[in-house]
Amino acid sequence: MECCAPGTISDDDLLRYTFDPDELAAEARTHFDDCPACRARADDYRSVSNILVKRLHRWGCPTTLEISEYAAGLLTGKDRQKLEDHFKHCPHCAEEVSISREFLGTPEPAVTRRPVLKAALLQQRHLLEVAGVRGDSPWPRQYTIDGISLMLELAPLAPPGKNLSMVGMIYRLDTSLGPLDNIEVHLLPTSTTDQSAPLSTIIKGINFLLSNISPGSYELLIALPEGNLLIEDLELRL
Amino acid sequence: MSGSSASDDLSALTNIQLANLAAAEQIRYRHHLPSNDRYALELYRRGIHQDQEAWQLFQEQVAEERVVSWLWQHPCYNRALERARTQENLVHLTFARFWQAVGPKKKNFSSQAKLFEFLKLCVNSVIIDELRKLTLGEIPPDLPAPAPDPLKDVAEEELWALLTHIITNPREQYLLRLILIEGYKPREVVRKSPEQFSTTQDVFRLWRNIIDRLRRDERIRRWFKKDTT
């Protein structure tokens, strides 16, 4: 196979094509596009170079896990010294350490405890009367917490089975403060003898619904802006 | 806090029960409530002792949310994504890296915080690895595989020893190192060592010479021939 326009491509162009085709002059680039012979010659150089680069690139550099451990300050003694000696002549690794430090130095979100709001359970008699419930059923329940009212009702899931659903209604007594909309609600299992999974939802307007609850012991966590409202020792069984 | 007492015998719990309780503790932790890490640690312990269900549940219900949030925090997440293509791939690679580091050694952690500290190192390691591959211009994983690498069974030490046996001139060896190992392009070689290489033409000439000599070497030819047959 012969070149279609001998002399257009210099030996340097062959190497330029190998390393950095974008650096070629427009005329040379067009020639490579049009001339299979020159392309084949360049590809020959390129394939040998590329295979060697692929095999040897960063050979001898520490693994990225070692880089991470170093950046986190977890290496000591000879292990640490060995890497530091390497960094002196390897700008790639030095750059990776810098990136790793930036990331690993990012503090975890603050772990300052949020206030836990304790809810007071109101007398149920009035609610039971309103709900038309007779006997000793503990549901529905009403709680108050610093200007917030929470009502919980538990019901069998339809169609009837052993699982339950919980409907909640929560609002501020001072309605001018607005609804507690889009707030996370979590039902968290607390017993090691149940098969219960945590369930989560959010408040829509003033209501929330948790369904398909396995009977068991739980805590109800509502992540209010002013703190975590925690209702402990909830025995959810009918 | 969980209503369970410290004396609970966790060995009696199923993996699912442990995962449920561990997931509840993660929610408590996320909302800055006191939390208990024993369920997560027990699930992890079972996982590294070849209980695949426990390992799967540990990943999905205890660790994945944390891994995803760290990926998003990483300053090079978007660049790593260019190569890995999806966040799921990066999550998968992170757990694979974590397993490689802890599984065979059955590494124990004294607390969930220590465990997560190490897992976060794995997130960083995976992202930096993706950047390394990106600079090499490797083909993304879900594109057709490249032609077999003729040197895949050759140890790096062996290959380097052969190259430096053929190319003995110190200046040429230095150029080999800069281009093959350190990944410099000709322009960068000149910038790094102007006293050795004054122009890119200098580099081109020397490199062409090196490659021509390598291609004439019988052992190199044999390796490359194996690839094409």
Side-chain angles (χ1 to χ4, degrees):
Chain A
M1 195 161 31
E2 297 216 345
C3 173
C4 59
T8 312
I9 296 297
S10 67
D11 285 347
D12 283 356
D13 284 335
L14 280 179
L15 272 290
R16 209 166 269 128
Y17 182 79
T18 298
F19 283 108
D20 214 344
D22 292 343
E23 290 225 327
L24 283 169
E27 186 191 7
R29 207 174 313 156
T30 312
H31 181 82
F32 274 116
D33 289 343
D34 297 341
C35 178
C38 287
R39 220 166 39 238
R41 277 178 69 207
D43 284 345
D44 209 20
Y45 275 108
R46 183 150 63 171
S47 70
V48 175
S49 297
N50 284 1
I51 288 168
L52 291 174
V53 167
K54 196 171 165 188
R55 195 75 181 103
L56 291 173
H57 184 64
R58 308 291 303 273
W59 167 57
C61 287
T63 66
T64 55
L65 194 55
E66 287 172 320
I67 295 267
S68 305
E69 287 176 314
Y70 173 83
L74 299 178
L75 296 185
T76 53
K78 281 182 185 167
D79 293 337
R80 184 180 177 83
Q81 191 56 51
K82 193 174 141 200
L83 262 65
E84 283 174 349
D85 290 343
H86 177 82
F87 299 150
K88 283 177 196 159
H89 68 82
C90 182
H92 304 297
C93 284
E95 167 74 9
E96 288 170 359
V97 169
S98 162
I99 292 169
S100 302
R101 281 192 171 135
E102 186 185 342
F103 169 62
L104 297 170
T106 308
E108 291 295 300
V111 288
T112 47
R113 299 268 174 245
R114 298 186 73 219
V116 176
L117 307 175
K118 292 287 181 189
L121 177 62
L122 294 184
Q123 288 293 326
Q124 290 173 255
R125 184 175 302 279
H126 170 67
L127 281 168
L128 295 175
E129 285 167 7
V130 170
V133 177
R134 293 175 189 277
D136 295 328
S137 170
W139 304 98
R141 293 180 179 188
Q142 187 172 16
Y143 299 86
T144 59
I145 321 99
D146 291 339
I148 292 172
S149 173
L150 168 68
M151 193 179 299
L152 298 177
E153 172 63 306
L154 193 67
L157 196 66
K162 63 176 187 169
N163 283 0
L164 311 163
S165 65
M166 176 187 273
V167 179
M169 184 168 72
I170 184 165
Y171 55 89
R172 294 185 193 280
L173 298 177
D174 180 352
T175 51
S176 68
L177 296 174
L180 295 164
D181 204 12
N182 278 322
I183 283 171
E184 288 181 49
V185 178
H186 304 280
L187 192 60
L188 307 175
T190 56
S191 165
T192 54
T193 55
D194 297 326
Q195 296 282 345
S196 326
L199 293 168
S200 300
T201 187
I202 57 166
I203 300 170
K204 296 278 186 194
I206 60 169
N207 298 307
F208 61 88
L209 171 68
L210 291 156
S211 51
N212 213 14
I213 302 167
S214 303
S217 308
Y218 292 88
E219 285 174 353
L220 183 71
L221 164 63
I222 304 179
L224 295 172
E226 49 268 68
N228 289 315
L229 169 57
L230 207 54
I231 312 275
E232 296 174 310
D233 303 324
L234 276 177
E235 282 297 315
L236 302 189
R237 304 174 206 276
L238 280 178
Chain B
M1 178 129 75
S2 166
S4 56
S5 74
S7 62
D8 286 338
D9 181 6
L10 299 186
S11 65
L13 300 188
T14 65
N15 289 333
I16 302 279
Q17 282 175 310
L18 272 178
N20 285 337
L21 291 163
E25 296 301 334
Q26 301 310 307
I27 293 171
R28 286 188 183 87
Y29 175 86
R30 186 154 57 78
H31 288 286
H32 305 164
L33 288 166
S35 59
N36 187 333
D37 57 10
R38 52 206 292 269
Y39 308 116
L41 287 175
E42 172 63 10
L43 206 53
Y44 165 81
R45 192 196 63 75
R46 290 184 191 182
I48 56 168
H49 286 88
Q50 309 299 328
D51 183 334
Q52 288 193 7
E53 182 191 53
W55 188 250
Q56 185 77 17
L57 288 166
F58 169 78
Q59 288 181 49
E60 289 171 2
Q61 301 213 28
V62 177
E64 188 169 319
E65 185 179 299
R66 214 65 82 86
V67 166
V68 168
S69 76
W70 287 326
L71 285 170
W72 290 349
Q73 278 175 32
H74 201 287
C76 301
Y77 171 64
N78 287 332
R79 275 172 62 207
L81 209 52
E82 280 176 37
R83 185 175 184 285
R85 304 237 161 175
T86 64
Q87 177 184 291
E88 288 71 28
N89 285 343
L90 288 172
V91 171
H92 174 77
L93 288 168
T94 298
F95 282 119
R97 175 70 40 88
F98 185 57
W99 175 260
Q100 280 167 6
V102 300
K105 289 190 240 166
K106 311 270 181 280
K107 190 176 169 73
N108 278 316
F109 293 97
S110 56
S111 67
Q112 182 178 279
K114 292 276 180 205
L115 187 157
F116 280 156
E117 185 183 17
F118 191 76
L119 185 57
K120 190 174 180 183
L121 296 188
C122 293
V123 168
N124 186 59
S125 165
V126 162
I127 289 204
I128 302 280
D129 257 340
E130 292 306 289
L131 300 187
R132 283 186 181 184
K133 290 170 192 163
L134 205 58
T135 54
L136 252 183
E138 279 198 359
I139 294 169
D142 55 351
L143 291 182
D149 177 356
L151 303 178
K152 73 177 185 324
D153 297 325
V154 183
E156 286 90 347
E157 290 84 352
E158 188 189 351
L159 179 59
W160 183 248
L162 175 59
L163 296 183
T164 50
H165 179 73
I166 302 166
I167 309 298
T168 51
N169 177 296
R171 183 166 169 250
E172 291 177 329
Q173 283 190 359
Y174 180 56
L175 185 61
L176 268 181
R177 169 172 287 281
L178 288 181
I179 288 182
L180 297 184
I181 299 180
E182 301 194 12
Y184 284 90
K185 293 201 167 164
R187 216 164 3 116
E188 296 163 338
V189 169
V190 173
R191 210 175 304 138
K192 180 176 168 63
S193 296
E195 70 292 347
Q196 297 247 33
F197 310 99
S198 53
T199 63
T200 49
Q201 279 71 26
D202 246 5
V203 177
F204 286 152
R205 196 167 47 246
L206 210 55
W207 188 251
R208 198 166 48 245
N209 201 301
I210 288 170
I211 294 292
D212 286 344
R213 271 149 58 208
L214 290 179
R215 286 195 308 188
R216 283 198 297 271
D217 182 86
E218 189 51 39
R219 282 154 299 183
I220 298 266
R221 284 160 68 108
R222 255 200 322 268
W223 278 335
F224 279 80
K225 207 171 172 183
K226 228 177 356 184
D227 172 44
T228 55
T229 52

